Amino acid sequence: MSQRTYNQLWADAQSELTQLLAAELPAEPLRPERDRVVFFQRLAVLYVRYLQVFRDLEVAYDQVVHPQKRVVIRANLDGVIGRLLELKNEMVEKEFSEYHYMDDVLHDLKLTPEDLEIPIPQYFINEFSKDVKERKAMVNNILKRLEITESPQFDVIMEMSQEDAVKLIQGVERARQRRLRAKLNQESRNMNHMSRNKDPGIADIESAAVCIQKVWKGYVQRRRTKIDREQEEILLGMAIDPKYDAPRPSEITAQENEARTRFVQQEHEDDYQKCTEAITKQLRDVEGHDISQTMKDQIRQWFFECRDATGTFPDYPDDEEGGSSVIFAVKSPQELMDEIAAKEEEEANAKPKGKEEKGKKDKGKGDEDEEEVGLKMFPSAFLADLVVGNKLYDDYWKNRDESKNYNQKHEVELIKEEKRKDIESEIRLQVDEQMRQELAEWKLTVDKEKVGKAKASVKKKKGSKSGKKKKKEKDLTADRTLESLCQELAEQGILKQSDNVKMKDFLGAYSYLGTTLRQNDIEPMPSLSDVRQVLSLYAILPLGSQFVHERAPLIKAILMAGPAGVGKKMLVHAICQEIGANLFDLSPLNTAGKYPGKSGLTMMLHMVFKVARLLQPSVIWIGDAEKMFYKKVPKEEKDLDPKRLKKDLPKSLKLIKGEDRVLIIGTTTDPLSADIKGLCKMYSKIILIPRPDYGSRFILWKQLIEKQGGKLTPSLNLSSLSKISDGYTPGHIVKVINTVITKRRIFQQAKRPLTAVEFVEPLAKIDPVFQEEEEALKSWYAKTPLGKKRIKAATGQDEEETPAKSSKGKDAKKKGK
């Protein structure tokens, strides 16, 4: 695809974004919606449409090479991601479920289930800052060194002298070469032995030749028949042409072009940064003095105009109000004085003066509440930024003629326009300080008494702003370097290397029955595809972007509950890999015996959270999360003290703020053994991961067999295999495939293709996850806060309680009167 194509993709995404903003920010506010189903439908349509814009902007940002365009695309991309997370949060609040089924929306928008997959932006990893890259490299080096030093061979070598160690390594290399030569000699002797065999009799040769001829003719005919049958199936659309399974030349070319584009991107970005620095210096040197002098002249003129109009010099606006930028607004001195008087009047009116006014206010509030009955959308932290970003596109890029900018390099005039504003802001701060001093001298000369009053008022304001100082968290390791802390945590097995898996490796099909089951008042179990989407929204997208994480609904802790083998641990590692996050393991069994005592526990948590913040994004994993909240600790685990983090970890969790891209992820196979109140208080999001359904099992068998080296033939009935494996987890399926498809079995496939029967015996030796266990998990989830809300909504209790509460409120007001 050419740059023109990606520019058009960006233009289409901006056009759709313009329509979405017009729908979300109409001229007249939408009236509250009484029907919950209709309101959720509106949210679902917005969510799906924003997701498509997100998909297009992500591709455009990844492949557009123009550096100034990418700045605008990135701003809009972050805003769309944030808005998507807000809509997801609102859908959960309105439907009381983490999973949603939107078949009707997909049908109306002519989309497929694949369009609901959450894309993971490339820039989450590609655009780490220089400092972050250095820290990541430091951690990787520590973990690699630790892996080497933990090997038994390393201990033997370390005890030797340098000369002995060199001799040992040379001896190992010579032994390897001897083994290789011996293998080659043995193969040569075997060939010579075969050539020295005696020739058989002529009769034996003739009979053998006839047999070979018969076998060969049969083989050739069967092969021709098989090829004809396969070609017929391909022609009828019953099978896929094998040539499409292998990477096609066009796909290879596209991948090479994408890699080349990213290289050009970096070149253009470097040129853009160098040019920006040069232009900024030039503007500051050439225009800085003139800008400063012009500002001072305008401010002085304002001083005297205000004094002529009011008889006194004005108060200089504070930096919080905008400083001299307020003065430069197109307003007369009298208008500014009127505004100040109006603000003072509003502040005076805001103070309650008596019981009558309180009564009136309460009455007014009651009337407003009665008018606003219904469902309304939550305020957004991203819509204002999206409006600004969309306006930037309309003003600068929508109708811009780029016929002469074939290489898509930066435009100098735009840099000057942008940097001139930045320089003006810098100079304004300096000018404000100088002009405040000058204004104070004028006031001192003209009216000394009012200056004294002004100073007193300033002192009062400063005193009122001070307030109570917040206690800062004490740094227990202020004298230690980050590298030493990482080294210690790695040696203790707390800082770990995440496995090389991605979210796409968590295989699972879309749930096609979810909508139908809910229409029949049956709560469906989510599919593995639903789980993949929800974790991408709750974990990957917020942690991947600092801008999004600071403004989106804050999620500090997620609990994944499900049977053993469904892929909970794999998902933790996949989240780390997708965003380049560091992994900390605070599982009860992993921390047992480490950092003993109260002071040791405090130090461990302090070190983990300090390093996690410095190396953000970071994931803190708590395996067997139920152990921390045991109702009753088993006798065999009492010595391990699994509940030692129960009190202190939630305290550390409270200290996580929006600027800290740190996420706690707990995994549990037995949540029923834990105190549900403590578990739900710790984890704000609880994700239920079920056994795979038929569609997911079919995908698992197919792709995992191929990945292991197995070939899919008509002899292998995947449909039957998927049917009989009901109740088995992905972990079970992986274990069975590794048992059956060995290296020897892979070589035998040409003569003896794989069959479903081969997988049945090892599958039968494993106990599946029975329906009772899954029902127990569903019953447990129904007792969580969100599960309770879902049950109330299904029975209509929430609708009945709302008017009851409002009537109680009215009665209370009447009694108060």
Side-chain angles (χ1 to χ4, degrees), residues 58 71 78 87 104 420 500 507 543 548 641 654 811:
E58 195 278 323
V71 172
D78 282 342
L87 290 170
D104 48 351
R420 192 172 280 116
N500 187 21
L507 305 173
L543 288 178
V548 173
D641 194 11
K654 290 179 181 178
D811 293 339

Side-chain angles (χ1 to χ4, degrees), residues 79-96:
V80 168
I81 292 174
R83 186 61 187 143
L84 195 69
L85 297 180
E86 287 179 336
L87 290 170
K88 171 64 179 179
N89 180 64
E90 199 153 353
M91 287 194 294
V92 172
E93 293 292 330
K94 298 301 184 290
E95 203 180 30
F96 309 118

Side-chain angles (χ1 to χ4, degrees), residues 136 494-496 498 538-540 543-544 556-558 560 568-569 571-586 608-609 611-613 615-622 656 661-667:
K136 299 287 182 188
I494 294 174
L495 176 59
K496 293 186 173 181
S498 58
Y538 287 165
I540 294 176
L543 288 178
K556 299 181 181 181
I558 299 173
M560 290 189 279
K568 300 183 293 296
K569 184 179 176 181
L571 284 168
V572 174
H573 288 270
I575 290 168
C576 294
Q577 284 289 326
E578 293 288 5
I579 57 176
N582 294 283
L583 179 62
F584 299 84
D585 185 0
L586 284 183
V608 167
F609 279 88
V611 175
R613 287 189 181 96
L615 297 176
Q616 60 181 287
S618 297
V619 170
I620 299 173
W621 173 44
I622 302 174
I656 297 177
R661 286 188 290 159
V662 178
L663 179 67
I664 295 177
I665 302 180
T667 57

Side-chain angles (χ1 to χ4, degrees), residues 151-428:
S151 63
Q153 292 86 353
F154 183 81
D155 294 337
V156 175
I157 293 172
M158 288 301 293
E159 292 175 359
M160 296 180 176
S161 64
Q162 185 176 0
E163 293 180 1
D164 292 340
V166 171
K167 289 179 182 178
L168 176 63
I169 294 170
Q170 291 175 347
V172 170
E173 179 62 22
R174 285 196 296 270
R176 189 185 67 81
Q177 293 178 357
R178 283 197 300 271
R179 286 196 300 271
L180 182 61
R181 284 196 297 270
K183 186 177 180 181
L184 293 172
N185 292 335
Q186 183 63 38
E187 290 179 357
S188 177
R189 286 194 295 272
N190 291 340
M191 294 295 294
N192 294 333
H193 178 72
M194 290 174 64
S195 64
R196 288 196 299 268
N197 283 342
K198 294 181 179 179
D199 296 335
I202 295 176
D204 294 338
I205 292 174
E206 290 178 352
S207 60
V210 172
C211 290
I212 292 171
Q213 193 175 23
K214 288 180 180 179
V215 172
W216 176 251
K217 285 182 178 179
Y219 168 74
V220 170
Q221 189 58 44
R222 286 192 298 273
R223 191 164 176 267
R224 286 175 181 169
T225 305
K226 181 182 178 183
I227 291 171
D228 292 341
R229 184 172 64 249
E230 289 176 352
Q231 289 178 346
E232 184 179 1
E233 289 178 351
I234 292 169
L235 183 65
L236 296 173
M238 298 172 63
I240 300 175
D241 195 334
K243 69 181 181 182
Y244 295 119
D245 291 340
R248 288 170 285 178
S250 58
E251 292 179 351
I252 295 172
T253 304
Q255 292 173 359
E256 291 175 351
N257 289 339
E258 288 180 1
R260 194 179 301 114
T261 298
R262 292 192 183 96
F263 180 74
V264 174
Q265 253 180 21
Q266 190 59 47
E267 282 188 337
H268 287 195
E269 180 65 26
D270 293 342
D271 292 343
Y272 170 63
Q273 294 298 335
K274 290 177 183 177
C275 184
T276 301
E277 290 177 9
I279 289 174
T280 303
K281 187 177 182 303
Q282 181 187 6
L283 289 174
R284 190 177 284 114
D285 294 342
V286 175
E287 301 181 11
H289 178 72
D290 293 339
I291 293 172
S292 175
Q293 196 60 42
T294 303
M295 285 183 183
K296 289 179 180 179
D297 292 342
Q298 290 176 345
I299 294 169
R300 288 191 187 101
Q301 184 180 356
W302 180 73
F303 289 166
F304 295 114
E305 285 180 357
C306 286
R307 191 175 189 285
D308 293 340
T310 62
T312 58
F313 285 109
D315 291 331
Y316 206 94
D318 295 333
D319 290 334
E320 296 174 358
E321 297 172 355
S324 57
S325 60
V326 177
I327 302 170
F328 295 154
V330 186
K331 294 178 183 178
S332 65
Q334 190 60 45
E335 287 175 337
L336 289 172
M337 297 300 293
D338 292 341
E339 277 188 9
I340 294 170
K343 285 182 181 178
E344 290 177 354
E345 189 177 346
E346 284 179 8
E347 290 175 0
N349 292 335
K351 296 178 182 179
K353 293 183 180 179
K355 294 182 179 179
E356 294 181 3
E357 287 192 5
K358 285 183 181 179
K360 287 178 182 178
K361 285 182 182 178
D362 292 340
K363 192 172 182 181
K365 286 181 182 178
D367 294 339
E368 286 177 7
D369 292 341
E370 287 179 7
E371 290 175 4
E372 294 181 358
V373 170
L375 298 170
K376 298 171 70 176
M377 295 185 71
F378 297 148
S380 172
F382 295 94
L383 282 178
D385 296 309
L386 284 173
V387 170
V388 173
N390 201 47
K391 190 175 185 303
L392 276 174
Y393 169 77
D394 290 341
D395 293 345
Y396 289 97
W397 302 107
K398 187 175 183 180
N399 300 314
R400 196 174 191 85
D401 182 15
E402 293 190 283
S403 56
K404 296 181 180 179
N405 190 7
Y406 179 77
N407 292 325
Q408 291 290 287
K409 288 197 171 185
H410 59 268
E411 300 188 28
V412 175
E413 290 304 317
L414 284 178
I415 297 176
K416 287 183 178 179
E417 189 175 338
E418 179 186 352
K419 289 303 166 185
R420 192 172 280 116
K421 293 177 182 177
D422 294 341
I423 290 170
E424 286 179 358
S425 299
E426 292 174 9
I427 293 174
R428 179 178 291 116

Side-chain angles (χ1 to χ4, degrees), residues 330-567:
V330 186
K331 294 178 183 178
S332 65
Q334 190 60 45
E335 287 175 337
L336 289 172
M337 297 300 293
D338 292 341
E339 277 188 9
I340 294 170
K343 285 182 181 178
E344 290 177 354
E345 189 177 346
E346 284 179 8
E347 290 175 0
N349 292 335
K351 296 178 182 179
K353 293 183 180 179
K355 294 182 179 179
E356 294 181 3
E357 287 192 5
K358 285 183 181 179
K360 287 178 182 178
K361 285 182 182 178
D362 292 340
K363 192 172 182 181
K365 286 181 182 178
D367 294 339
E368 286 177 7
D369 292 341
E370 287 179 7
E371 290 175 4
E372 294 181 358
V373 170
L375 298 170
K376 298 171 70 176
M377 295 185 71
F378 297 148
S380 172
F382 295 94
L383 282 178
D385 296 309
L386 284 173
V387 170
V388 173
N390 201 47
K391 190 175 185 303
L392 276 174
Y393 169 77
D394 290 341
D395 293 345
Y396 289 97
W397 302 107
K398 187 175 183 180
N399 300 314
R400 196 174 191 85
D401 182 15
E402 293 190 283
S403 56
K404 296 181 180 179
N405 190 7
Y406 179 77
N407 292 325
Q408 291 290 287
K409 288 197 171 185
H410 59 268
E411 300 188 28
V412 175
E413 290 304 317
L414 284 178
I415 297 176
K416 287 183 178 179
E417 189 175 338
E418 179 186 352
K419 289 303 166 185
R420 192 172 280 116
K421 293 177 182 177
D422 294 341
I423 290 170
E424 286 179 358
S425 299
E426 292 174 9
I427 293 174
R428 179 178 291 116
L429 293 174
Q430 299 171 4
V431 169
D432 285 350
E433 288 297 321
Q434 296 172 7
M435 297 311 292
R436 280 194 186 95
Q437 185 65 31
E438 188 172 320
L439 179 61
E441 292 173 0
W442 279 107
K443 285 185 175 182
L444 187 64
T445 305
V446 177
D447 196 343
K448 297 181 181 179
E449 293 181 6
K450 290 188 177 180
V451 170
K453 291 182 180 178
K455 286 182 179 178
S457 64
V458 168
K459 286 180 182 177
K460 286 181 181 178
K461 284 184 180 178
K462 286 182 180 177
S464 62
K465 284 180 182 177
S466 61
K468 292 183 179 179
K469 293 182 179 179
K470 293 183 180 178
K471 290 184 179 179
K472 291 184 178 180
E473 186 182 357
K474 188 178 180 181
D475 190 353
L476 303 177
T477 54
D479 57 337
R480 295 186 58 181
T481 63
L482 176 61
E483 186 172 2
S484 69
L485 294 175
C486 292
Q487 181 75 31
E488 181 177 337
L489 290 174
E491 289 173 353
Q492 292 293 334
I494 294 174
L495 176 59
K496 293 186 173 181
Q497 185 76 44
S498 58
D499 297 339
N500 187 21
V501 291
K502 297 294 183 73
M503 287 299 288
K504 65 181 180 181
D505 298 328
F506 186 75
L507 305 173
Y510 178 78
S511 177
Y512 292 94
L513 293 176
T515 303
T516 305
L517 290 172
R518 278 196 173 169
Q519 287 173 351
N520 291 279
D521 297 328
I522 300 173
E523 186 61 25
M525 286 296 284
S527 70
L528 299 186
S529 174
D530 297 327
V531 173
R532 188 171 60 238
Q533 291 175 30
V534 165
L535 286 173
S536 296
L537 288 166
Y538 287 165
I540 294 176
L541 295 187
L543 288 178
S545 170
Q546 184 71 34
F547 177 82
V548 173
H549 193 270
E550 288 179 359
R551 300 189 178 197
L554 183 59
I555 298 173
K556 299 181 181 181
I558 299 173
L559 178 67
M560 290 189 279
V566 292

